[in-house]
Amino acid sequence: MGFGIGVSSPGMGPRGIIEQFSGGDNQRGAAFNRRVVVRLLAYLKPYKRPMLLACLAMLVVSGLTLLTPYLLKEAVDQYISQGDRAGLAHISLLTAAAFAGLYLATAGQQYLLAWVGQRVLANLRSALFRHLQQLSLGYHDTHIVGVTVSRVMNDVATINELLSQGIITLLGDTLILVGIVVIMLTMSPRLALLTFIVLPLMLGVTMWFSSRARVAFRETRTRVARVVGDLAEDIAGVRVIQAFGQEDSTQERFTQVNEANRDAHINAMTLSFIFLPAIEFLGVLSTAIVLWFGGRAVAADEITLGVLVAFLSYVTRFFQPVQELSRLYTTMQSAMAGGEQVLKLLDSPPEVQDQPEAGEMPQISGRVSLDHVSFRYRPDLPEVLHDVNLMIEPGQTVALVGPTGAGKTSIGNLIARFYDVSAGMVAIDGIDVRTVTQQSLHRQIGLVPQDSFLFSGSIAENIRFGRPQASDAEVEEAARLANAHDFIIAKPDGYQTRVLEGAANLSVGQRQLVCIARAILTNPRILILDEATSNVDSMTESLIQGALRKLLQGRTAVVIAHRLSTIRSADLICVVQDGQIVEQGNHDELLERGGAYRALYQRQFSG
Amino acid sequence: MQRISSENRPSTSPSQAQILWRCFGYLRPHWKITAGAYLMMVLIDAVAMINPQLIGWAIDHGLEADSASSTGSLTLAVGALLVLVLVKGLFTYFQGRWTEVASQNVAYDLRNELQRKITQLSFSFHDQSEAGDLLSRTIQDVERIRFLTGRAMFRVIEGSLLMLVTAVVMIVMNPLLGLMALLALPLLVVQSISFGRVFRPLSVVIQKQLATVTTRVEQNLRGARVVKTFAQEEAEIERFEAENRRWFDLSATAARLQAVNMPRLHLIANLSSVVILWYGGTLVINGQLTLGELVAFTTYMAQLVSPVRFLGMILPAISMAAASAERIFEILDTVPEVHEEPGAPELLERLAAEKRVCRGHIRFENVAFSYGRHASILKDITFDALPDQVVALLGPTGSGKTTVVNLIPRFYDPSAGRITLDGVDIREVTLNSLRAQIGIVLQETTLFAASIRENITFGRPDATQEEIEAAARDAQAHEFILQTQKGYDTPVGERGITLSGGQKQRIAIARALLTDPRILILDDATSSVDSETEHLIQLALERVMQARTTFVIAHRLSTVQRADLILVLDKGRIVASGKHADLLTASPLYQNIYNQQLKRGKG
Ligand SMILES: Nc1ncnc2c1ncn2[C@@H]1O[C@H](COP(=O)(O)OP(=O)(O)OP(=O)(O)O)[C@@H](O)[C@H]1O
Ligand SMILES: Nc1ncnc2c1ncn2[C@@H]1O[C@H](COP(=O)(O)OP(=O)(O)OP(=O)(O)O)[C@@H](O)[C@H]1O
Ligand SMILES: [Mg+2]
Ligand SMILES: [Mg+2]
């Protein structure tokens, strides 16, 4: 009944949590979904043999569990009351042997199940991870990282519980239950039926509890998710919180969600504290019934004392599987919800997909053309690019300038085929980018994104990201070209300096330099620099440009920048406005034309 | 440096008892219900002791044929059984609820304290810490403490008590048989302890490995664009599978240990009950024991061993809770590097005492600074920013511009020298009163996953729609906001993912402007904004700048050249300062920058 969140689920965004849990809410009441179960069961297929073995062990366990009280009865009836010492010793040995067998079978069963469960868990996670690698950026725009992480880590774990333990428990407990019923009936039908009187009561109480508990425990999960979400936001925005002196207001908000969480948990647990005594009462009630009626029967010599003793012990055992099964029902509900979510993720098709007959992109020489391209990020969002035409010759450096939000980044995204165009065509060397595999395309394109993301790990690892086999010398060379070498070696650990979370220990410009080095190292045929030096001073920038010019000889480059000095020497400058290219030409031509570019230029250099 | 060590300290650390003691200290405010719960526990145990006696007694006295007294005894026993279980149920309810209330309150208090601390700890702490780690301390680690102060402790005490009493009762009933039953105890304890000794470290490793797997997934998703750009999907899969595989191997080992442990405990308990059956049966045959007593004995036997099994699970949980507590207290005990002097006055009060108002005169006097063990980042920074001036900072990447301005709101404290605001050392006033005078647009735009409106009003939740729009207009954000789907109510997505770079920055500028600060700091706040828009923002700022001191960091000269004071930084030193015209002649570095951006452009 702890928190339904894995031991480490860093970086959960609040919306994500809410979505995750409201996602779960949609599954309300669906305690059993054939389709989900069938699909999930398929993951057990490769492990038929261990599962069968576990089933066998389970049969042994159930049999022995049923046998031991019977042996007890025999001991009392046949030997103790008859004064048969040798027989008593004999049956004691037999019981001991039964317990030893029980030990072996239980251990075997548990091990096999846990092994298969863990295996399936690992396999499912791999499958999800693989699938995530195929999903396009559109997926990441609309899904919170924390939620997806929790799909892969937590939801999968709930399924596992059901798949491995659940099925066997279900079988085993049902078997034991049936067995006990049969044995009780054969030993003394009257006493047995009397015992079963309690059963409907038990069922009623359990059902009442399950329905209440489902609501109450779902509430606790939502509440704790809010706590996590709220705190995650506070941590992510802690610098802003302090800068704006909002510590108190965030504390107030947190106290509220924290309080709601506490109360939800107390409520849910209180239910349990009603349920448990109620079940215990019913258990004792049936013991009392057995004792009273059985006692009368023994007195009347209708049954033996041994039967009574065995009955008392069967009655206690009878309620264990009943409780197990009702617990299983709750597990099943969350597993179903988790399963649905996992399958949904597995089934979500990548928006950008390799065509079945897609071939490898041949060595790119660098002609890029956008032919009447229109684009929107999602069908329900407004169009951001309208009928864009652009022709880049191999070896050209093309600059995209224009107001913020005009669509420059979006054009870069389309050339690298992170998204597919809504209309028109993007072609490289005359080949429609949709007809080649994404990997073969990406391998030849280097992109420095506008937000410089670095992984946590050493600086060297980050630079090496696109080419893990690169030698130290190559890494250093790339860093030099990007003008990052000097600052890196000035750090106490040089290239082995750890990049902290959010790259907090690098200045923003330094992060950009590392990103540039990372792109250079892969030696791309087409380089896209999206504001790659916006936070870098112009001296450093011009050094980088000098280095790049040599490097880019014969290669195509797309440069997006606001600082016009960055792009002045470009072969072609395109002014993007409101999702359209409104002017094209080189620096001088555009100045002469006296249009948008000139206005931008004068603004910047009017100093 | 307030580095958090991620390693668990050795559990033998002398303070483990103290740590646990401190945890229980959190129960103090709830001592009444805690005491109540323990009282209930004693009552419950008393009832538990009577039950087997009743059954045994019923078998011995209630089964004689035909005698009316036997039926009477039977009815009496059965009735007593039912009454007792009802009473016990009542006790169980209160005991459970009170324990729960107390322990949930402990968790509640701890989480509040942690959140408070986390939002108060300085930037240097957050530079080093990881969000996932802080989250897991506040959620999972606190949960372990809750378990410890609630059910765990309860079960330990209850279990020990029950075992003790059961043992005594058994020995009193039949010393020899009782002692034989107790023989199982040492075996159970040995098994539990040896299991815990192997399993506990293993489970710590498994948790760590699971965290590693989680981090892999998380990093992969955060860097999805980078992974795609570099076509590293296969390599990422390989890396993931390696970690995933390692997790599986560890878990399989743990599964083997676990699969054997519980059944083994059961086996020990079961075998000793067989011994009781055999020996007790012999005694019954000899007439030294009644059958009813034997049955009662086996029931006690079950009672005796069940806590042991439970303790086997709970003892590792307790030492895990101790480790968790350590992680929690580590944060709670961290003194923020930047903290107020006790009894520090509010800035405005302090100024009012001298009959002054805040004018925004910032003065750096020989300030030096370094991040932890790093070499000195700032050296001997001295300058005066007079009220209402615009001060620009310029210099190469990594020269320390951000570091300089971060010292003004005391995000970090200088290691030498001092900073004054209107002549008052900023360390002498409260943090909030200082920061209330300062509006800052951080270099790295951080938006909250909320609506645009909530983001803009973050520093002033009570702002009116007119004020919000005015700030947005000044930041040149109003127009594009209106074009979004729901205007000011459009959600911005995780970290503003669905906005373009310049759009995010303009929202951050509006957020700072709305607080109408005396001192405004713009740290590369328009780097992703085109010059035209930037110019409009500047015009708007100039309108409002008259009444405030402004610090501007920018790489575009057009942004900085009209400043009243330009500070040129290089490698953490001010290498030149003055106005644009002065610097053009006085500073070669400035000249270079100028040439780079302007002269060549004109040529
Ligand atoms: N992932 C996304 N999902 C939905 N809308 C988006 C997404 N990314 C950008 N947009 C919207 O598309 C439009 C164009 O954005 P884009 O990032 O291409 O602009 P930009 O020219 O690069 O601007 P800037 O100079 O500010 O970076 C903007 O209105 C933006 O809000
Ligand atoms: N939290 C930190 N921990 C350790 N070192 C840091 C930290 N923040 C910055 N540094 C280092 O301090 C130096 C100055 O960084 P700062 O951010 O002040 O530079 P900057 O002048 O603002 O650069 P940019 O123009 O790139 O933003 C850099 O070398 C940087 O690597
Ligand atoms: Mg952009
Ligand atoms: Mg900076």
Side-chain angles (χ1 to χ4, degrees):
Chain A
M1 317 220 164
F3 293 128
I5 288 163
V7 166
S8 48
S9 36
M12 286 224 179
R15 280 202 312 139
I17 305 277
I18 291 157
E19 181 190 304
Q20 174 197 348
F21 283 85
S22 56
D25 279 0
N26 295 340
Q27 313 307 321
R28 189 181 309 246
F32 190 81
N33 181 329
R34 268 276 292 291
R35 201 180 49 81
V36 173
V37 173
V38 169
R39 288 244 344 239
L40 291 178
L41 279 180
Y43 281 90
L44 284 179
K45 234 184 219 148
Y47 307 105
K48 264 191 210 129
R49 199 177 305 167
M51 282 310 273
L52 275 177
L53 267 175
C55 266
L56 252 152
M58 180 267 295
L59 286 178
V60 174
V61 171
S62 312
L64 289 177
T65 310
L66 291 175
L67 181 66
T68 40
Y70 175 76
L71 289 176
L72 189 68
K73 163 190 166 286
E74 286 295 293
V76 174
D77 276 355
Q78 302 293 324
Y79 307 106
I80 296 182
S81 40
Q82 310 291 320
D84 181 350
R85 280 162 216 267
L88 177 62
H90 180 74
I91 199 152
S92 298
L93 271 180
L94 214 62
T95 318
F99 281 135
L102 188 65
Y103 161 67
L104 290 178
T106 319
Q109 178 201 332
Q110 285 190 3
Y111 176 62
L112 285 169
L113 287 182
W115 189 89
V116 171
Q118 241 70 295
R119 198 61 267 188
V120 169
L121 196 65
N123 289 349
L124 255 172
R125 284 195 180 134
S126 279
L128 279 171
F129 191 84
R130 275 172 190 282
H131 184 69
L132 282 170
Q133 302 313 301
Q134 286 168 9
L135 289 176
S136 40
L137 284 189
Y139 173 85
H140 300 284
D141 287 348
T142 46
H143 290 76
I144 305 286
V145 170
V147 180
T148 313
V149 171
S150 128
R151 291 270 175 281
V152 179
M153 303 310 294
N154 302 333
D155 288 348
V156 169
T158 56
I159 300 174
N160 168 50
E161 216 170 293
L162 177 73
L163 272 191
S164 52
Q165 313 285 352
I167 292 171
I168 298 278
T169 317
L170 191 71
L171 287 177
D173 283 342
T174 317
L175 217 68
I176 292 184
L177 211 58
V178 171
I180 291 180
V181 169
V182 169
I183 293 179
M184 283 166 97
L185 280 174
T186 43
M187 280 198 333
S188 165
R190 202 170 73 95
L191 214 49
L193 288 176
L194 280 168
T195 316
F196 299 154
I197 290 179
V198 180
L199 214 55
L201 280 175
M202 179 83 92
L203 270 178
V205 169
T206 307
M207 270 162 69
W208 174 84
F209 172 74
S210 306
S211 67
R212 289 297 201 86
R214 201 187 322 153
V215 178
F217 282 103
R218 193 189 300 126
E219 178 77 6
T220 64
R221 295 194 58 177
T222 320
R223 292 290 168 205
V224 73
R226 296 255 159 82
V227 173
V228 176
D230 202 73
L231 191 66
E233 277 285 274
D234 288 350
I235 295 172
V238 67
R239 290 176 175 81
V240 177
I241 291 172
Q242 292 188 5
F244 286 87
Q246 294 298 312
E247 291 95 333
D248 287 340
S249 70
T250 63
Q251 277 158 19
E252 249 166 61
R253 213 186 32 235
F254 182 80
T255 306
Q256 276 169 17
V257 291
N258 194 14
E259 197 173 292
N261 174 48
R262 177 193 65 190
D263 295 343
H265 274 87
I266 292 178
N267 281 344
M269 290 310 289
T270 302
L271 269 180
S272 307
F273 297 126
I274 298 173
F275 178 65
L276 291 179
I279 290 290
E280 192 180 0
F281 174 76
L282 291 177
V284 173
L285 182 61
S286 56
T287 306
I289 292 175
V290 168
L291 200 57
W292 200 83
F293 287 99
R296 304 291 316 131
V298 171
D301 261 344
E302 288 163 29
I303 58 170
T304 61
L305 183 56
V307 170
L308 178 60
V309 174
F311 239 90
L312 283 176
S313 131
Y314 276 121
V315 165
T316 337
R317 266 158 230 246
F318 181 68
F319 290 104
Q320 254 170 25
V322 171
Q323 280 182 45
E324 265 311 290
L325 287 176
S326 73
R327 203 181 56 82
L328 191 67
Y329 180 75
T330 332
T331 316
M332 201 147 91
Q333 279 178 330
S334 60
M336 283 303 147
E340 293 246 352
Q341 297 298 328
V342 167
L343 290 180
K344 203 165 96 192
L345 176 52
L346 271 180
D347 291 345
S348 60
E351 285 157 41
V352 177
Q353 224 165 350
D354 287 345
Q355 287 171 3
E357 70 277 14
E360 296 267 303
M361 182 79 199
Q363 164 94 333
I364 292 178
S365 73
R367 168 169 308 147
V368 179
S369 69
L370 273 70
D371 190 11
H372 296 287
V373 165
S374 296
F375 173 63
R376 58 182 77 228
Y377 276 92
R378 287 200 305 275
D380 57 321
L381 290 181
E383 200 173 81
V384 294
L385 293 178
H386 324 285
D387 196 31
V388 171
N389 287 298
L390 176 65
M391 185 68 179
I392 307 174
E393 295 299 330
Q396 264 191 338
T397 295
V398 172
L400 302 178
V401 298
T404 84
K408 305 179 292 295
T409 300
S410 307
I411 292 178
N413 281 341
L414 292 180
I415 295 176
R417 202 184 168 215
F418 286 138
Y419 300 86
D420 272 338
V421 295
S422 318
M425 179 175 90
V426 176
I428 294 178
D429 293 349
I431 303 172
D432 186 338
V433 290
R434 283 169 295 191
T435 59
V436 293
T437 62
Q438 294 167 70
Q439 289 228 3
S440 66
L441 180 66
H442 290 156
R443 232 174 273 131
Q444 303 187 56
I445 296 182
L447 185 139
V448 181
Q450 194 165 6
D451 54 337
S452 23
F453 179 86
L454 296 178
F455 294 93
S456 28
S458 71
I459 293 182
E461 276 166 20
N462 268 291
I463 296 180
R464 211 175 253 139
F465 184 77
R467 236 182 86 201
Q469 71 283 7
S471 70
D472 286 349
E474 286 170 312
V475 168
E476 199 180 307
E477 177 60 24
R480 270 182 211 282
L481 284 173
N483 242 282
H485 179 72
D486 289 342
F487 97 77
I488 296 174
I489 53 167
K491 291 256 160 202
D493 298 320
Y495 281 87
Q496 297 314 315
T497 305
R498 265 192 72 76
V499 177
L500 299 177
E501 190 172 88
N505 56 339
L506 299 184
S507 89
V508 181
Q510 289 170 343
R511 291 174 212 170
Q512 291 187 326
L513 300 186
V514 175
C515 287
I516 295 172
R518 178 171 69 185
I520 290 177
L521 186 67
T522 61
N523 202 6
R525 300 298 309 165
I526 298 177
L527 187 63
I528 303 173
L529 300 170
D530 188 355
E531 306 251 22
T533 49
S534 62
N535 295 103
V536 176
D537 61 294
S538 33
M539 296 297 293
T540 311
E541 187 190 35
S542 84
L543 290 174
I544 298 174
Q545 278 182 341
L548 282 182
R549 204 163 297 130
K550 264 184 269 147
L551 190 86
L552 283 174
Q553 207 98 110
R555 293 171 205 225
T556 305
V558 178
V559 181
I560 302 171
H562 288 301
R563 210 184 302 159
L564 295 185
S565 58
T566 315
I567 50 104
R568 195 161 38 213
S569 56
D571 300 308
L572 179 70
I573 296 172
C574 304
V575 182
V576 185
Q577 249 170 26
D578 294 329
Q580 279 170 320
I581 296 183
V582 294
E583 271 179 23
Q584 292 194 20
N586 69 24
H587 177 70
D588 296 328
E589 288 165 15
L590 289 179
L591 272 192
E592 238 158 76
R593 187 175 304 168
Y597 183 76
R598 193 187 165 85
L600 275 179
Y601 181 81
Q602 279 180 333
R603 180 61 63 217
Q604 209 164 107
F605 299 117
S606 60
Chain B
M1 185 125 288
Q2 307 152 322
R3 168 132 226 163
I4 309 171
S5 68
S6 51
E7 296 83 35
N8 289 315
R9 288 184 202 155
S11 50
T12 50
S13 92
S15 51
Q16 172 151 351
Q18 284 169 334
I19 289 171
L20 291 177
W21 185 244
R22 188 166 162 194
C23 288
F24 288 110
Y26 281 86
L27 277 174
R28 201 166 300 140
H30 317 288
W31 71 271
K32 275 187 198 151
I33 45 173
T34 309
Y38 281 90
L39 180 67
M40 289 296 137
M41 173 193 82
V42 174
L43 297 177
I44 292 169
D45 279 359
V47 176
M49 292 323 294
I50 302 175
N51 268 349
Q53 294 285 1
L54 269 177
I55 295 180
W57 188 78
I59 289 177
D60 284 346
H61 299 277
L63 306 186
E64 279 112 51
D66 67 39
S67 112
S69 80
S70 87
T71 312
S73 316
L74 201 57
T75 316
L76 192 68
V78 165
L81 215 54
L82 288 177
V83 170
L84 279 179
V85 76
L86 272 181
V87 172
K88 186 180 164 201
L90 208 65
F91 292 162
T92 310
Y93 171 80
F94 282 114
Q95 177 262 310
R97 188 175 155 92
W98 289 342
T99 315
E100 192 65 22
V101 168
S103 69
Q104 287 290 353
N105 270 307
V106 169
Y108 169 79
D109 293 340
L110 270 172
R111 289 205 174 105
N112 274 346
E113 240 181 90
L114 276 168
Q115 191 266 358
R116 181 166 302 250
K117 193 73 188 194
I118 287 172
T119 50
Q120 279 168 353
L121 282 168
S122 328
F123 278 30
S124 53
F125 174 88
H126 289 284
D127 289 346
Q128 303 285 336
S129 67
E130 300 194 345
D133 178 59
L134 293 181
L135 271 177
S136 92
R137 291 185 201 222
T138 314
I139 305 299
Q140 275 90 28
D141 285 331
V142 168
E143 188 55 20
R144 293 219 181 106
I145 304 299
R146 192 191 66 69
F147 182 64
L148 173 76
T149 54
R151 253 178 301 165
M153 204 50 222
F154 189 82
R155 284 295 172 85
V156 168
I157 294 182
E158 182 190 36
S160 319
L161 198 71
L162 194 65
M163 263 164 65
L164 197 74
V165 178
T166 311
V168 169
V169 170
M170 286 171 92
I171 290 180
V172 168
M173 270 177 74
N174 186 313
L176 199 55
L177 204 55
L179 282 176
M180 283 182 80
L182 290 187
L183 274 183
L185 283 187
L187 284 176
L188 288 170
V189 170
V190 167
Q191 167 66 21
S192 295
I193 289 179
S194 69
F195 170 74
R197 197 165 285 158
V198 188
F199 188 71
R200 201 182 321 145
L202 184 62
S203 72
V204 170
V205 176
I206 291 179
Q207 291 302 357
K208 272 202 187 138
Q209 184 58 24
L210 195 65
T212 312
V213 176
T214 313
T215 314
R216 272 248 81 89
V217 179
E218 204 222 348
Q219 285 269 314
N220 174 273
L221 292 173
R222 289 210 184 286
R225 178 187 290 268
V226 180
V227 173
K228 283 213 178 308
T229 307
F230 292 98
Q232 288 301 304
E233 289 93 341
E234 287 305 322
E236 283 287 291
I237 289 175
E238 250 166 60
R239 267 173 238 159
F240 173 82
E241 305 234 293
E243 301 294 356
N244 197 21
R245 173 86 218 176
R246 214 173 99 70
W247 171 83
F248 169 76
D249 290 341
L250 287 168
S251 306
T253 314
R256 210 177 55 228
L257 287 175
Q258 261 178 317
V260 175
N261 179 49
M262 266 317 212
R264 193 171 283 172
L265 291 175
H266 280 275
L267 179 68
I268 296 171
N270 284 335
L271 286 185
S272 55
S273 65
V274 171
V275 171
I276 300 271
L277 177 72
W278 170 73
Y279 185 68
T282 317
L283 289 183
V284 173
I285 294 173
N286 293 347
Q288 286 159 297
L289 195 74
T290 67
L291 194 56
E293 277 172 330
L294 180 60
V295 173
F297 233 93
T298 33
T299 321
Y300 279 127
M301 187 69 205
Q303 236 170 51
L304 183 71
V305 294
S306 72
V308 178
R309 285 190 225 138
F310 191 77
L311 290 185
M313 291 194 292
I314 230 150
L315 290 179
I318 289 181
S319 56
M320 296 233 275
S324 287
E326 218 168 326
R327 283 157 52 79
I328 291 170
F329 295 141
E330 191 181 7
I331 291 188
L332 291 183
D333 294 344
T334 307
V335 182
E337 221 162 57
V338 174
H339 52 94
E340 293 166 0
E341 293 302 321
E346 303 263 308
L347 171 68
L348 293 182
E349 274 172 23
R350 168 75 195 267
L351 289 172
E354 299 167 24
K355 300 217 168 7
R356 292 194 293 158
V357 292
C358 180
R359 302 186 55 229
H361 176 182
I362 295 276
R363 191 179 156 75
F364 275 58
E365 293 171 21
N366 306 101
V367 168
F369 178 79
S370 67
Y371 290 103
R373 69 188 178 104
H374 293 245
S376 177
I377 298 280
L378 297 182
K379 291 161 221 117
D380 200 23
I381 302 283
T382 302
F383 67 86
D384 253 300
L386 298 178
D388 307 340
Q389 268 193 339
V390 175
V391 178
L393 287 90
L394 197 72
T397 284
S399 56
K401 305 178 293 295
T402 300
T403 309
V404 168
V405 294
N406 276 349
L407 295 179
I408 300 173
R410 284 191 77 196
F411 292 150
Y412 302 87
D413 272 344
S415 48
R418 64 178 206 142
I419 302 166
T420 58
L421 168 55
D422 292 339
V424 176
D425 189 326
I426 55 173
R427 280 171 296 198
E428 286 169 8
V429 294
T430 63
L431 278 174
N432 268 338
S433 68
L434 170 69
R435 290 177 183 164
Q437 300 301 321
I438 302 172
I440 185 164
V441 180
L442 298 169
Q443 191 169 13
E444 208 184 358
T445 319
T446 308
L447 297 184
F448 292 92
S451 69
I452 291 180
R453 179 196 315 281
E454 284 167 286
N455 270 293
I456 295 181
T457 57
F458 185 75
R460 251 189 70 201
D462 57 341
T464 66
Q465 179 66 21
E466 286 75 53
E467 289 170 319
I468 297 171
E469 281 182 21
R473 274 206 188 88
D474 285 345
Q476 303 303 314
H478 182 66
E479 259 174 66
F480 96 78
I481 294 173
L482 286 191
Q483 279 165 17
T484 57
Q485 266 180 325
K486 293 185 204 141
Y488 280 88
D489 294 314
T490 308
V492 301
E494 197 179 23
R495 285 168 300 131
I497 201 161
T498 55
L499 298 176
S500 85
Q503 292 169 338
K504 277 187 272 195
Q505 281 191 332
R506 282 179 283 161
I507 291 182
I509 295 175
R511 174 170 70 190
L513 290 181
L514 186 64
T515 60
D516 193 23
R518 198 64 207 73
I519 298 156
L520 179 65
I521 301 173
L522 302 169
D523 187 353
D524 229 357
T526 50
S527 61
S528 301
V529 175
D530 61 290
S531 320
E532 179 61 31
T533 310
E534 187 194 23
H535 174 70
L536 294 174
I537 295 176
Q538 270 188 336
L539 286 186
L541 285 184
E542 262 164 38
R543 245 191 303 117
V544 283
M545 256 180 209
Q546 260 104 54
R548 60 174 57 117
T549 313
T550 309
F551 289 83
V552 185
I553 299 177
H555 290 297
R556 250 175 270 164
L557 268 196
S558 53
T559 321
V560 303
Q561 59 188 337
R562 266 183 298 193
D564 301 298
L565 173 67
I566 302 174
L567 304 170
V568 183
L569 261 80
D570 193 18
K571 301 202 175 72
R573 286 181 194 282
I574 297 179
V575 292
S577 64
K579 281 187 180 277
H580 176 69
D582 313 335
L583 289 173
L584 271 184
T585 52
S587 165
L589 182 63
Y590 189 81
Q591 254 171 5
N592 269 336
I593 298 172
Y594 178 75
N595 289 343
Q596 206 61 53
Q597 284 190 30
L598 299 183
K599 218 178 85 204
R600 238 185 50 194
K602 282 175 178 156

